Amino acid sequence: MILQILYIIAIVSEAITGTLAAGKHRMDLFGVLLIALVTAIGGGTIRDIVLNMHPMTWVKHPEYVIMLCFFSMLTVKIPYFFANLSKLFLMLDAIGLISFSIIGVDKAMQHGFGFVICVIAGLITGVSGGIGRDILCNKIPLVFQKELYASVSIVACMLYYCLCLYTPLPNEVSVIATLIFGFTFRMVAIKYSLSLPTFIFDEKAKKD
């Protein structure tokens, strides 16, 4: 139950941020809806395709698509209201990242996959939607150049997997513990601008 609630919060917040991103690039309403849906449910879709899980979540529950389209159009109507909640959406994005990561691991575990695949499934679910949004908006994905993001997802996936398999904790406790840890980790990374080392290759510099 808690995972379902987190999932709904996550996809709605991601749909709103995707809509705002589309608006910044002056897209028509079809483009707006596409970006919103890709951002919100793109990660889960890619995970299900890669791991051959059917039916996909949004296929099984098409009401999610309708809900996301509603919030996307609501954002179109009152964009500045949502834009002024940037700090709130920053926190919701962090919650969404960890929620998606947990859900990805959980689904992979239910299908009998091992540690590595479960972590990859969680990572794909957590970051692929944002990557798809940025690619469609013709931008280098933020996950590749900002504060720790994918790394937070990976650590959260590993923690959740270990809590589920190697501790006697109830599943809901494991979910809450992972969510608190991952959210705190992400907020700390943002506050202190923590990031992975950057690789810079300048071919011209070598020739000079």
Side-chain angles (χ1 to χ4, degrees):
M1 183 64 181
I2 187 172
L3 278 179
Q4 185 177 7
I5 294 173
L6 290 173
Y7 177 75
I8 292 174
I9 293 173
I11 60 174
V12 168
S13 62
E14 293 298 326
I16 292 172
T17 57
T19 300
L20 292 175
K24 292 177 182 178
H25 289 79
R26 299 177 180 274
M27 295 187 183
D28 63 19
L29 292 183
F30 176 78
V32 168
L33 289 174
L34 179 63
I35 296 298
L37 292 173
V38 166
T39 308
I41 57 179
T45 300
I46 294 173
R47 175 205 63 223
D48 290 347
I49 292 173
V50 170
L51 299 182
N52 195 29
M53 297 178 179
H54 299 288
M56 297 177 190
T57 303
W58 61 269
V59 174
K60 187 177 181 180
H61 298 284
E63 62 270 18
Y64 290 156
V65 176
I66 297 173
M67 178 181 67
L68 294 174
C69 289
F70 168 78
F71 277 101
S72 179
M73 290 299 95
L74 180 63
T75 305
V76 169
K77 289 295 183 180
I78 49 173
Y80 296 104
F81 170 77
F82 290 107
N84 289 333
L85 302 175
S86 58
K87 291 184 178 180
L88 173 62
F89 279 103
L90 192 64
M91 292 187 289
L92 289 176
D93 180 71
I95 293 174
L97 171 65
I98 307 306
S99 300
F100 285 147
S101 300
I102 292 172
I103 291 168
V105 173
D106 195 68
K107 287 202 70 172
M109 289 174 62
Q110 289 177 18
H111 284 74
F113 290 103
F115 176 75
V116 173
I117 301 303
C118 285
V119 172
I120 292 174
L123 176 64
I124 290 174
T125 312
V127 307
S128 295
I131 291 174
R133 174 200 62 214
D134 292 341
I135 290 175
L136 290 174
C137 291
N138 198 29
K139 295 169 55 181
I140 296 176
L142 295 176
V143 66
F144 298 149
Q145 55 182 335
K146 289 291 185 178
E147 303 89 358
L148 294 178
Y149 197 85
S151 302
V152 174
S153 174
I154 292 172
V155 174
C157 291
M158 295 171 64
L159 174 62
Y160 180 68
Y161 182 91
C162 292
L163 288 176
C164 287
L165 262 67
Y166 304 118
T167 71
L169 294 174
N171 181 259
E172 290 190 353
V173 175
S174 297
V175 169
I176 294 172
T178 304
L179 187 65
I180 293 174
F181 172 82
F183 177 80
T184 303
F185 189 7
R186 174 63 179 151
M187 290 295 100
V188 169
I190 293 173
K191 181 176 181 179
Y192 296 102
S193 299
L194 302 179
S195 61
L196 294 175
T198 302
F199 173 62
I200 301 176
F201 174 67
D202 189 346
E203 192 173 7
K204 293 182 180 180
K206 182 180 179 180
K207 293 180 179 179
D208 293 340

